[in-house]
């Protein structure tokens, strides 16, 4: 994993927001949750089976690991 100091890329910020939302939903035992965001790269990567080694992919891997606790979860693009 490569960590780079400073300002994150927009896709990293979007992934971090998703991770925080998933964590919050788990901690509050929320059900019937829809995670909607507008970053197509994040949607594609979250739904993909492959990952890379940059910070973005590390965050997405954490999102995926947490999403398995939500049945029928599927990332979608908000408009």
């Amino acid at each position: 994993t490569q960590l780079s100091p400073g300002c994150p890329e927009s896709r990293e910020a979007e992934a971090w927001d998703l991770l925080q939302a998933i964590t919050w939903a788990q901690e509050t035992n929320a059900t019937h949750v829809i995670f909607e965001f507008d970053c197509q790269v994040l949607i594609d990567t979250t739904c993909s089976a492959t990952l890379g080694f940059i910070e973005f992919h590390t965050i997405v891997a954490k999102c995926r690991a947490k999403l398995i606790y939500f049945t029928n979860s599927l990332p979608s693009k908000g408009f």
Side-chain angles (χ1 to χ4, degrees):
T1 303
Q2 290 181 343
L3 298 176
S4 43
C7 187
E9 294 182 18
S10 61
R11 66 183 182 172
E12 289 174 4
E14 292 272 352
W16 182 254
D17 288 344
L18 175 60
L19 180 59
Q20 295 305 307
I22 295 168
T23 300
W24 174 83
Q26 280 185 309
E27 289 172 354
T28 60
N29 295 316
T31 59
H32 299 84
V33 179
I34 298 171
F35 299 106
E36 188 175 271
F37 38 94
D38 61 0
C39 180
Q40 189 65 47
V41 173
L42 179 56
I43 295 168
D44 293 344
T45 307
T46 303
C47 295
S48 169
T50 60
L51 285 177
F53 296 101
I54 59 174
E55 182 68 10
F56 170 71
H57 293 107
T58 302
I59 300 167
V60 170
K62 291 177 184 179
C63 290
R64 275 197 210 151
K66 288 179 174 273
L67 279 173
I68 62 170
Y69 296 104
F70 295 93
T71 57
N72 300 321
S73 64
L74 180 66
S76 66
K77 184 172 181 171
F79 294 98

